[in-house]
Amino acid sequence: MSSSDARASSSNTFAPGGPDLALGPCAACAARGLAFCNVLEGEDLSRLLQITSETNAGAGQAVFYEGDEASHVYNVTEGVVRVSKMLPDGRRQITGFLFPGDFLGLSHDDAYAYTAEAVNAVRLCRFRRDRLLQLFDELPQLEKRLLGMAADELAAAQDQILLLGRKTARERVVSFLLGISKQAQRRGESGNPVGLPMSRADIADYLGLTIETVSRMITKLAKDGVIELPSSNKVHFTNRNALEDIEMGEEA
Amino acid sequence: MSSSDARASSSNTFAPGGPDLALGPCAACAARGLAFCNVLEGEDLSRLLQITSETNAGAGQAVFYEGDEASHVYNVTEGVVRVSKMLPDGRRQITGFLFPGDFLGLSHDDAYAYTAEAVNAVRLCRFRRDRLLQLFDELPQLEKRLLGMAADELAAAQDQILLLGRKTARERVVSFLLGISKQAQRRGESGNPVGLPMSRADIADYLGLTIETVSRMITKLAKDGVIELPSSNKVHFTNRNALEDIEMGEEA
DNA sequence: CGTATACTTGAATTGAGTCAATAAGTGTGG
DNA sequence: CCACACTTATTGACTCAATTCAAGTATACG
C-alpha cells in the first residue's frame, strides 16, 4: 500500500482543570450541536470528558481497520470519514460517509466490522468503549441518545439498501448528490452549491458502480441541465425538483 | 391489491393475575431466549408484560405499512416477517427477513419507514412505543439490550450493503442460503437441510435480482453439486466449504 | 380435476462494466 | 513561473452479466 495507509497518529487526553473548566474543548466544537454528547451539560459533560481524548487523521489515513480490536468509539468533529468493507479479492464497498456529529465504532463485537479512513483532514473525539458503556449507567440520557442515533443510522442503511438493490445508476448518483447537499444543510451550510470532498472512486464504491459510470452520469446530468459543475468536485443544483423526481424514478 | 393486503387482526392485552403468574405467556415462548425481553425476569418482566399485547398475521398480511404512524414496537415470536421499501413505480426492495426473537418498529420517526408483512403465519408481541420508551427509565437493562441488538442489525445491514453493492448474482444467492441456514441454527435447528419459507420473488427482491436470475443461480448451484433441492423450498448443503468460498468470491 | 400460482428454462436485449485513450488538475523542483 | 510527473476525471468503443420477454413445467388449491 501507499503512504496513505498510515494510522491516525496524534492523540492526547483532555486534562480538565476542574468541573467548570471542563466544557473547554466542547465550547469551541462545531459538531457539538449534532453529536451524541449534546445531551450533556456541566458536571455530566465533564464526566464524559474524563474518558475522552482527541485524534487526528490526514487525508487517506486509517482511523482503524476491519478486524482491529474494537477498543474505542469515535465521534467525528471535523472532516469526512469513509467507512468501508472489502471482499478478499479487493472489491470494496463504502457503507457510509461520516460527517461532523456522526459516531463510529459502536460495534457489539470484539473487532471492528469495517475500516474507517479519513477522506480529508479529520478530527475525532475518542472514547474507550468499555468506559463509555460503564458511563451509560450514570448518564442514561447518553445511552438514550445513542439508541436514537443508531435507529437513524439503521434507517439510513435501509435507504442505501433500496438504492443499491433497485435504483439505476442515474438515480443512485442523484440520490447521492442530494444526500450530500442535505448533509451540508444539517451542518448549517446552504447546500447549493455543495462540495464533494471525496473522489469519484469513493463515490463509485459507495454507490456500487464504477468510476466511469459515476463520471458519465454526472456529465449527463449537467448536459440535461439539472446541475452545473463549477469544478469536478463542486455541484450546483439548477433544478432541484427535477432531481428529486429522478431520485425516486419519476423522471419526466 | 389482493386479499393479502389485509392487516394483522387479532390482538389482546395480557391480563396477568399477579406478579408471579405474569411470566405465563413468556414461559411457553420459543423466541424468549433470543428476544430482547430475555434480560428481564420476575417482577421486571411482569412490568413489561403490562404494556404487552399479542398480534397474529396470516401469510401475506401486513403488520404495518410504510408511512403508518409508528405507534408500536413489535417482537417476532413465531414465523417470518419481511420488511420492505418501495419506489413510486413499484420497484420493491426487501431490506430484511425477521425471525423469532427479532424486533421491528423501533423507528426514531413518527412514521414507519418501511412495510412489514408476514411471509407465513406470524405471531408477534406488541408494545406501545411511548410506553416502552418510558419503561427504559425503570429497566435500563432493557435499553442496553436493545442498543446491542440495534448495533447487530446495523452490522447486518452493512453486510447486505456489501452484498448489494459488490457481489455477483451467484455470490448473493450463496450468501442468502448460508444466512438462512445460520439463522435456523440460531433458532436451534440443524440448518441442513433448511427450509425457505419465502418465495423466489421475495428472495429476488431481497438480493436486488430478478426471480429468473435467482432461479437460474439455484439451479446452477445444484448442477455444480454444492447443494441439492429435495423440493423447491428446501435446500440441502452438500459442500459447505465450497459455498463459503463462493460467498466471498473465492471460488475454485 | 381444472385453474391459478410459483418456479424453471430459453432466447434476445440492455445497462453498466471493462478496456483504452485522452484531458484536466495538482503539486514539485528547477 | 514554467516544465514535468503524477494523479484524478472524462470520454469512447466494445463486452458481458443480469434483465426482459416468452414459453413451458411443476405445485398447490378450491
Side-chain angles (χ1 to χ4, degrees):
Chain A
M1 290 199 226
S2 67
S3 65
S4 70
D5 78 336
R7 299 285 175 113
S9 46
S10 58
S11 156
N12 60 302
T13 309
F14 290 129
D20 280 6
L21 289 170
L23 193 129
C26 300
C29 177
R32 171 126 172 91
L34 300 163
F36 72 88
C37 49
N38 73 352
V39 293
L40 299 182
E41 281 182 348
E43 174 61 28
D44 290 344
L45 180 58
S46 104
R47 205 63 156 289
L48 177 63
L49 279 172
Q50 280 161 32
I51 67 161
T52 306
S53 61
E54 228 191 356
T55 311
N56 297 295
Q61 282 188 318
V63 179
F64 54 76
Y65 289 103
E66 183 175 353
D68 281 0
E69 193 201 348
S71 50
H72 293 85
V73 175
Y74 298 84
N75 188 32
V76 181
T77 55
E78 268 183 62
V80 182
V81 171
R82 65 169 174 257
V83 167
S84 64
K85 292 173 78 90
M86 289 250 288
L87 288 169
D89 64 5
R91 279 174 286 174
R92 182 180 72 149
Q93 178 65 36
I94 292 178
T95 60
F97 292 107
L98 302 185
F99 294 86
D102 293 332
F103 71 90
L104 67 158
L106 193 73
S107 167
H108 193 220
D109 231 335
D110 293 334
Y112 294 119
Y114 47 80
T115 294
E117 294 159 309
V119 168
N120 49 20
V122 163
R123 178 167 285 203
L124 310 108
C125 280
R126 194 177 75 167
F127 317 90
R128 281 207 48 168
R129 216 174 70 87
D130 49 3
R131 302 267 233 111
L132 185 63
L133 293 177
Q134 279 167 27
L135 209 56
F136 286 165
D137 295 330
E138 298 166 47
L139 305 172
Q141 69 273 42
L142 202 60
E143 181 163 34
K144 198 153 284 176
R145 174 82 167 116
L146 229 40
L147 183 57
M149 286 179 78
D152 285 346
E153 274 203 52
L154 211 47
Q158 289 177 341
D159 286 341
Q160 193 66 3
I161 283 172
L162 172 63
L163 179 148
L164 293 169
R166 289 300 178 218
K167 289 190 185 176
T168 65
R170 182 176 172 89
E171 289 159 6
R172 292 182 200 200
V173 169
V174 168
S175 293
F176 171 75
L177 294 177
L178 289 174
I180 287 288
S181 176
K182 278 171 201 142
Q183 169 59 39
Q185 288 174 334
R186 286 214 318 138
R187 295 197 306 279
E189 299 171 26
S190 83
N192 192 18
V194 72
L196 303 178
M198 66 291 289
S199 68
R200 294 289 188 269
D202 283 349
I203 297 173
D205 283 351
Y206 179 60
L207 298 178
L209 300 170
T210 60
I211 295 171
E212 294 94 324
T213 298
V214 170
S215 183
R216 275 187 256 270
M217 294 302 143
I218 290 178
T219 302
K220 184 68 171 16
L221 290 168
K223 274 186 185 148
D224 292 346
V226 290
I227 63 169
E228 278 169 9
L229 295 166
S231 78
S232 75
N233 59 355
K234 188 171 287 185
V235 177
H236 178 75
F237 303 100
T238 51
N239 191 343
R240 213 176 255 265
N241 288 340
L243 285 169
E244 276 157 9
D245 285 348
I246 294 169
E247 178 181 20
M248 301 305 273
E250 301 196 305
E251 187 144 14
Chain B
M1 288 197 231
S2 66
S3 67
S4 69
D5 77 338
R7 301 282 176 117
S9 46
S10 59
S11 156
N12 61 301
T13 309
F14 289 129
D20 280 6
L21 289 170
L23 193 128
C26 301
C29 177
R32 171 127 172 90
L34 299 163
F36 72 88
C37 50
N38 72 352
V39 292
L40 301 181
E41 282 182 347
E43 175 62 28
D44 290 343
L45 181 58
S46 104
R47 205 64 155 286
L48 177 63
L49 279 173
Q50 279 161 31
I51 65 160
T52 306
S53 61
E54 227 190 357
T55 310
N56 296 295
Q61 281 187 317
V63 179
F64 55 75
Y65 288 103
E66 182 174 353
D68 282 0
E69 193 200 347
S71 51
H72 292 85
V73 175
Y74 298 84
N75 189 30
V76 181
T77 55
E78 267 183 61
V80 182
V81 170
R82 65 169 175 256
V83 167
S84 64
K85 292 173 80 90
M86 290 251 288
L87 289 169
D89 64 4
R91 280 174 286 175
R92 183 180 71 149
Q93 178 65 37
I94 292 177
T95 59
F97 292 107
L98 302 185
F99 294 85
D102 293 332
F103 72 90
L104 68 159
L106 193 73
S107 169
H108 192 221
D109 231 334
D110 293 335
Y112 294 119
Y114 46 81
T115 295
E117 295 158 309
V119 167
N120 49 19
V122 163
R123 177 167 286 203
L124 309 106
C125 280
R126 193 175 76 166
F127 317 90
R128 282 207 48 167
R129 216 175 70 89
D130 49 3
R131 304 268 234 109
L132 185 63
L133 293 177
Q134 278 168 26
L135 209 56
F136 285 166
D137 295 330
E138 299 167 46
L139 304 172
Q141 69 275 41
L142 202 59
E143 182 162 33
K144 198 152 285 173
R145 173 82 168 116
L146 229 40
L147 182 58
M149 285 178 77
D152 285 347
E153 275 204 51
L154 211 47
Q158 288 177 341
D159 285 341
Q160 193 66 3
I161 283 172
L162 173 63
L163 179 148
L164 293 169
R166 289 298 178 220
K167 289 190 185 177
T168 66
R170 182 178 172 85
E171 288 160 6
R172 292 182 200 200
V173 168
V174 167
S175 293
F176 171 75
L177 295 177
L178 289 174
I180 287 287
S181 176
K182 277 171 200 141
Q183 169 57 40
Q185 287 173 332
R186 286 213 319 138
R187 295 198 306 279
E189 299 170 25
S190 83
N192 192 16
V194 72
L196 303 179
M198 66 292 288
S199 68
R200 294 289 189 269
D202 283 349
I203 298 173
D205 283 351
Y206 179 59
L207 298 178
L209 300 171
T210 58
I211 296 170
E212 295 94 324
T213 299
V214 170
S215 181
R216 275 186 256 270
M217 294 302 144
I218 290 177
T219 303
K220 183 70 171 17
L221 289 168
K223 273 185 186 150
D224 292 346
V226 291
I227 62 169
E228 279 168 8
L229 295 165
S231 77
S232 76
N233 59 355
K234 189 171 288 186
V235 177
H236 178 76
F237 303 100
T238 51
N239 191 342
R240 212 176 257 263
N241 288 340
L243 285 170
E244 275 157 9
D245 286 347
I246 294 169
E247 178 180 21
M248 302 305 272
E250 300 196 305
E251 188 144 14

PDB file of all heavy atoms in Angstrom, chain A residues 197-217:
ATOM      1  N   PRO A 197     -16.166  16.309  -1.148  1.00  0.00           N
ATOM      2  CA  PRO A 197     -14.814  16.095  -0.629  1.00  0.00           C
ATOM      3  C   PRO A 197     -14.187  14.794  -1.094  1.00  0.00           C
ATOM      4  O   PRO A 197     -12.972  14.664  -1.107  1.00  0.00           O
ATOM      5  CB  PRO A 197     -15.022  16.107   0.891  1.00  0.00           C
ATOM      6  CG  PRO A 197     -16.467  15.813   1.101  1.00  0.00           C
ATOM      7  CD  PRO A 197     -17.186  16.346  -0.097  1.00  0.00           C
ATOM      8  N   MET A 198     -15.016  13.831  -1.495  1.00  0.00           N
ATOM      9  CA  MET A 198     -14.475  12.500  -1.838  1.00  0.00           C
ATOM     10  C   MET A 198     -14.263  12.354  -3.337  1.00  0.00           C
ATOM     11  O   MET A 198     -14.871  13.065  -4.146  1.00  0.00           O
ATOM     12  CB  MET A 198     -15.402  11.401  -1.307  1.00  0.00           C
ATOM     13  CG  MET A 198     -16.768  11.335  -1.953  1.00  0.00           C
ATOM     14  SD  MET A 198     -17.852  12.737  -1.573  1.00  0.00           S
ATOM     15  CE  MET A 198     -18.232  12.432   0.164  1.00  0.00           C
ATOM     16  N   SER A 199     -13.402  11.412  -3.691  1.00  0.00           N
ATOM     17  CA  SER A 199     -13.060  11.166  -5.092  1.00  0.00           C
ATOM     18  C   SER A 199     -14.179  10.421  -5.813  1.00  0.00           C
ATOM     19  O   SER A 199     -15.079   9.861  -5.188  1.00  0.00           O
ATOM     20  CB  SER A 199     -11.781  10.333  -5.167  1.00  0.00           C
ATOM     21  OG  SER A 199     -12.044   9.031  -4.680  1.00  0.00           O
ATOM     22  N   ARG A 200     -14.080  10.392  -7.143  1.00  0.00           N
ATOM     23  CA  ARG A 200     -15.039   9.605  -7.927  1.00  0.00           C
ATOM     24  C   ARG A 200     -14.962   8.128  -7.542  1.00  0.00           C
ATOM     25  O   ARG A 200     -15.971   7.416  -7.547  1.00  0.00           O
ATOM     26  CB  ARG A 200     -14.742   9.753  -9.413  1.00  0.00           C
ATOM     27  CG  ARG A 200     -14.947  11.143  -9.965  1.00  0.00           C
ATOM     28  CD  ARG A 200     -16.400  11.510 -10.036  1.00  0.00           C
ATOM     29  NE  ARG A 200     -16.605  12.763 -10.745  1.00  0.00           N
ATOM     30  CZ  ARG A 200     -16.640  13.958 -10.160  1.00  0.00           C
ATOM     31  NH1 ARG A 200     -16.505  14.083  -8.853  1.00  0.00           N
ATOM     32  NH2 ARG A 200     -16.827  15.057 -10.894  1.00  0.00           N
ATOM     33  N   ALA A 201     -13.755   7.662  -7.214  1.00  0.00           N
ATOM     34  CA  ALA A 201     -13.587   6.261  -6.819  1.00  0.00           C
ATOM     35  C   ALA A 201     -14.380   5.976  -5.541  1.00  0.00           C
ATOM     36  O   ALA A 201     -15.039   4.940  -5.421  1.00  0.00           O
ATOM     37  CB  ALA A 201     -12.109   5.944  -6.609  1.00  0.00           C
ATOM     38  N   ASP A 202     -14.338   6.912  -4.585  1.00  0.00           N
ATOM     39  CA  ASP A 202     -15.102   6.749  -3.352  1.00  0.00           C
ATOM     40  C   ASP A 202     -16.603   6.757  -3.637  1.00  0.00           C
ATOM     41  O   ASP A 202     -17.363   5.957  -3.086  1.00  0.00           O
ATOM     42  CB  ASP A 202     -14.765   7.871  -2.362  1.00  0.00           C
ATOM     43  CG  ASP A 202     -13.420   7.653  -1.679  1.00  0.00           C
ATOM     44  OD1 ASP A 202     -12.847   6.556  -1.801  1.00  0.00           O
ATOM     45  OD2 ASP A 202     -12.946   8.591  -1.003  1.00  0.00           O
ATOM     46  N   ILE A 203     -17.017   7.686  -4.491  1.00  0.00           N
ATOM     47  CA  ILE A 203     -18.444   7.770  -4.826  1.00  0.00           C
ATOM     48  C   ILE A 203     -18.895   6.470  -5.480  1.00  0.00           C
ATOM     49  O   ILE A 203     -19.940   5.900  -5.144  1.00  0.00           O
ATOM     50  CB  ILE A 203     -18.726   8.968  -5.772  1.00  0.00           C
ATOM     51  CG1 ILE A 203     -18.369  10.287  -5.073  1.00  0.00           C
ATOM     52  CG2 ILE A 203     -20.187   8.984  -6.212  1.00  0.00           C
ATOM     53  CD1 ILE A 203     -18.450  11.518  -5.978  1.00  0.00           C
ATOM     54  N   ALA A 204     -18.075   5.974  -6.414  1.00  0.00           N
ATOM     55  CA  ALA A 204     -18.398   4.727  -7.113  1.00  0.00           C
ATOM     56  C   ALA A 204     -18.529   3.568  -6.123  1.00  0.00           C
ATOM     57  O   ALA A 204     -19.488   2.795  -6.177  1.00  0.00           O
ATOM     58  CB  ALA A 204     -17.333   4.418  -8.151  1.00  0.00           C
ATOM     59  N   ASP A 205     -17.577   3.457  -5.197  1.00  0.00           N
ATOM     60  CA  ASP A 205     -17.606   2.352  -4.244  1.00  0.00           C
ATOM     61  C   ASP A 205     -18.730   2.503  -3.218  1.00  0.00           C
ATOM     62  O   ASP A 205     -19.134   1.545  -2.572  1.00  0.00           O
ATOM     63  CB  ASP A 205     -16.254   2.233  -3.529  1.00  0.00           C
ATOM     64  CG  ASP A 205     -15.201   1.584  -4.419  1.00  0.00           C
ATOM     65  OD1 ASP A 205     -15.560   1.081  -5.495  1.00  0.00           O
ATOM     66  OD2 ASP A 205     -14.020   1.582  -4.034  1.00  0.00           O
ATOM     67  N   TYR A 206     -19.232   3.709  -3.076  1.00  0.00           N
ATOM     68  CA  TYR A 206     -20.379   3.935  -2.196  1.00  0.00           C
ATOM     69  C   TYR A 206     -21.675   3.564  -2.902  1.00  0.00           C
ATOM     70  O   TYR A 206     -22.600   3.035  -2.289  1.00  0.00           O
ATOM     71  CB  TYR A 206     -20.411   5.405  -1.780  1.00  0.00           C
ATOM     72  CG  TYR A 206     -21.560   5.813  -0.886  1.00  0.00           C
ATOM     73  CD1 TYR A 206     -21.746   5.219   0.366  1.00  0.00           C
ATOM     74  CD2 TYR A 206     -22.455   6.800  -1.276  1.00  0.00           C
ATOM     75  CE1 TYR A 206     -22.795   5.610   1.188  1.00  0.00           C
ATOM     76  CE2 TYR A 206     -23.504   7.201  -0.460  1.00  0.00           C
ATOM     77  CZ  TYR A 206     -23.668   6.603   0.773  1.00  0.00           C
ATOM     78  OH  TYR A 206     -24.702   6.987   1.584  1.00  0.00           O
ATOM     79  N   LEU A 207     -21.727   3.821  -4.205  1.00  0.00           N
ATOM     80  CA  LEU A 207     -22.968   3.614  -4.966  1.00  0.00           C
ATOM     81  C   LEU A 207     -23.027   2.266  -5.677  1.00  0.00           C
ATOM     82  O   LEU A 207     -23.986   1.976  -6.389  1.00  0.00           O
ATOM     83  CB  LEU A 207     -23.142   4.742  -5.990  1.00  0.00           C
ATOM     84  CG  LEU A 207     -23.273   6.152  -5.417  1.00  0.00           C
ATOM     85  CD1 LEU A 207     -23.387   7.176  -6.543  1.00  0.00           C
ATOM     86  CD2 LEU A 207     -24.497   6.242  -4.493  1.00  0.00           C
ATOM     87  N   GLY A 208     -22.005   1.436  -5.492  1.00  0.00           N
ATOM     88  CA  GLY A 208     -21.997   0.135  -6.157  1.00  0.00           C
ATOM     89  C   GLY A 208     -21.839   0.254  -7.657  1.00  0.00           C
ATOM     90  O   GLY A 208     -22.392  -0.542  -8.415  1.00  0.00           O
ATOM     91  N   LEU A 209     -21.081   1.260  -8.096  1.00  0.00           N
ATOM     92  CA  LEU A 209     -20.874   1.496  -9.531  1.00  0.00           C
ATOM     93  C   LEU A 209     -19.374   1.537  -9.811  1.00  0.00           C
ATOM     94  O   LEU A 209     -18.565   1.269  -8.931  1.00  0.00           O
ATOM     95  CB  LEU A 209     -21.507   2.838  -9.934  1.00  0.00           C
ATOM     96  CG  LEU A 209     -23.016   2.995  -9.715  1.00  0.00           C
ATOM     97  CD1 LEU A 209     -23.454   4.427  -9.924  1.00  0.00           C
ATOM     98  CD2 LEU A 209     -23.797   2.062 -10.636  1.00  0.00           C
ATOM     99  N   THR A 210     -18.997   1.881 -11.050  1.00  0.00           N
ATOM    100  CA  THR A 210     -17.592   2.113 -11.379  1.00  0.00           C
ATOM    101  C   THR A 210     -17.364   3.616 -11.487  1.00  0.00           C
ATOM    102  O   THR A 210     -18.312   4.394 -11.653  1.00  0.00           O
ATOM    103  CB  THR A 210     -17.221   1.471 -12.730  1.00  0.00           C
ATOM    104  OG1 THR A 210     -18.045   2.045 -13.742  1.00  0.00           O
ATOM    105  CG2 THR A 210     -17.389  -0.031 -12.694  1.00  0.00           C
ATOM    106  N   ILE A 211     -16.090   3.992 -11.426  1.00  0.00           N
ATOM    107  CA  ILE A 211     -15.705   5.396 -11.597  1.00  0.00           C
ATOM    108  C   ILE A 211     -16.279   5.947 -12.895  1.00  0.00           C
ATOM    109  O   ILE A 211     -16.838   7.046 -12.935  1.00  0.00           O
ATOM    110  CB  ILE A 211     -14.163   5.495 -11.643  1.00  0.00           C
ATOM    111  CG1 ILE A 211     -13.559   5.070 -10.308  1.00  0.00           C
ATOM    112  CG2 ILE A 211     -13.725   6.912 -11.997  1.00  0.00           C
ATOM    113  CD1 ILE A 211     -12.044   4.926 -10.354  1.00  0.00           C
ATOM    114  N   GLU A 212     -16.124   5.179 -13.971  1.00  0.00           N
ATOM    115  CA  GLU A 212     -16.559   5.635 -15.293  1.00  0.00           C
ATOM    116  C   GLU A 212     -18.057   5.910 -15.333  1.00  0.00           C
ATOM    117  O   GLU A 212     -18.498   6.922 -15.895  1.00  0.00           O
ATOM    118  CB  GLU A 212     -16.201   4.590 -16.364  1.00  0.00           C
ATOM    119  CG  GLU A 212     -14.709   4.387 -16.573  1.00  0.00           C
ATOM    120  CD  GLU A 212     -14.158   3.240 -15.749  1.00  0.00           C
ATOM    121  OE1 GLU A 212     -14.628   3.056 -14.613  1.00  0.00           O
ATOM    122  OE2 GLU A 212     -13.268   2.522 -16.242  1.00  0.00           O
ATOM    123  N   THR A 213     -18.822   5.012 -14.741  1.00  0.00           N
ATOM    124  CA  THR A 213     -20.277   5.203 -14.754  1.00  0.00           C
ATOM    125  C   THR A 213     -20.674   6.443 -13.953  1.00  0.00           C
ATOM    126  O   THR A 213     -21.525   7.229 -14.383  1.00  0.00           O
ATOM    127  CB  THR A 213     -20.988   3.951 -14.196  1.00  0.00           C
ATOM    128  OG1 THR A 213     -20.686   2.842 -15.036  1.00  0.00           O
ATOM    129  CG2 THR A 213     -22.493   4.141 -14.154  1.00  0.00           C
ATOM    130  N   VAL A 214     -20.040   6.642 -12.792  1.00  0.00           N
ATOM    131  CA  VAL A 214     -20.329   7.839 -11.996  1.00  0.00           C
ATOM    132  C   VAL A 214     -20.020   9.090 -12.810  1.00  0.00           C
ATOM    133  O   VAL A 214     -20.832  10.021 -12.896  1.00  0.00           O
ATOM    134  CB  VAL A 214     -19.504   7.842 -10.690  1.00  0.00           C
ATOM    135  CG1 VAL A 214     -19.601   9.191  -9.984  1.00  0.00           C
ATOM    136  CG2 VAL A 214     -19.968   6.721  -9.766  1.00  0.00           C
ATOM    137  N   SER A 215     -18.868   9.082 -13.446  1.00  0.00           N
ATOM    138  CA  SER A 215     -18.463  10.230 -14.246  1.00  0.00           C
ATOM    139  C   SER A 215     -19.460  10.499 -15.377  1.00  0.00           C
ATOM    140  O   SER A 215     -19.887  11.635 -15.601  1.00  0.00           O
ATOM    141  CB  SER A 215     -17.072   9.968 -14.821  1.00  0.00           C
ATOM    142  OG  SER A 215     -16.605  11.078 -15.546  1.00  0.00           O
ATOM    143  N   ARG A 216     -19.832   9.444 -16.077  1.00  0.00           N
ATOM    144  CA  ARG A 216     -20.789   9.581 -17.175  1.00  0.00           C
ATOM    145  C   ARG A 216     -22.123  10.139 -16.691  1.00  0.00           C
ATOM    146  O   ARG A 216     -22.719  11.012 -17.339  1.00  0.00           O
ATOM    147  CB  ARG A 216     -21.039   8.211 -17.817  1.00  0.00           C
ATOM    148  CG  ARG A 216     -20.029   7.840 -18.873  1.00  0.00           C
ATOM    149  CD  ARG A 216     -20.446   6.544 -19.568  1.00  0.00           C
ATOM    150  NE  ARG A 216     -19.644   5.419 -19.108  1.00  0.00           N
ATOM    151  CZ  ARG A 216     -18.497   5.042 -19.672  1.00  0.00           C
ATOM    152  NH1 ARG A 216     -18.006   5.701 -20.679  1.00  0.00           N
ATOM    153  NH2 ARG A 216     -17.833   3.996 -19.209  1.00  0.00           N
ATOM    154  N   MET A 217     -22.602   9.651 -15.575  1.00  0.00           N
ATOM    155  CA  MET A 217     -23.911  10.088 -15.072  1.00  0.00           C
ATOM    156  C   MET A 217     -23.871  11.563 -14.651  1.00  0.00           C
ATOM    157  O   MET A 217     -24.810  12.310 -14.913  1.00  0.00           O
ATOM    158  CB  MET A 217     -24.348   9.222 -13.883  1.00  0.00           C
ATOM    159  CG  MET A 217     -24.631   7.764 -14.236  1.00  0.00           C
ATOM    160  SD  MET A 217     -25.926   7.584 -15.507  1.00  0.00           S
ATOM    161  CE  MET A 217     -25.293   6.208 -16.451  1.00  0.00           C
TER     162      MET A 217
END
